Amino acid sequence: MQRIVAGEKLTSDEMDNIYLSTRCRACDDVCPVDIPITDIIQYERQLLAQQGKEPAKTTAISKNIIERNSPGGMDPSTRFYELQMILKLPKIPRSPI
């Protein structure tokens, strides 16, 4: 965190450590000394965003959620079926509603 506060450039591994977390809090639950790991990760992400150093993919996901209500930018009314085709899942008939 000191390097982020100082505005230093982080390595790829350091960025991965911050942005690959799902922030599910499982690490908080098992930490034997009650370190709030998820809160620290969230704070680091906030600092990086304020410094304009957030990964481009994260910025794009945030923009898609705000503008299209969908992380991947897909039309929310059809994204299930688009993903179904991308993942080659069996077809499920659309609801008549």
Side-chain angles (χ1 to χ4, degrees), residues 15 22 44 77:
M15 289 296 276
T22 62
E44 290 173 330
S77 66

Side-chain angles (χ1 to χ4, degrees), residues 35-78:
I35 295 171
I37 299 166
T38 305
D39 294 341
I40 293 168
I41 290 170
Q42 182 59 36
Y43 181 65
E44 290 173 330
R45 288 181 183 189
Q46 288 172 343
L47 289 174
L48 288 167
Q50 290 169 355
Q51 295 172 1
K53 296 179 180 176
E54 181 178 66
K57 186 173 185 174
T58 301
T59 305
I61 289 169
S62 298
K63 183 179 176 189
N64 285 336
I65 290 170
I66 292 167
E67 294 177 358
R68 304 211 55 198
N69 198 30
S70 168
M74 297 176 187
D75 178 351
S77 66
T78 62

Side-chain angles (χ1 to χ4, degrees), residues 9-28:
K9 184 174 177 163
L10 302 181
T11 67
S12 177
D13 285 343
E14 290 169 327
M15 289 296 276
D16 285 349
N17 286 334
I18 296 168
Y19 284 96
L20 290 178
S21 168
T22 62
R23 295 174 293 159
C24 67
R25 298 199 174 271
C27 53
D28 296 343

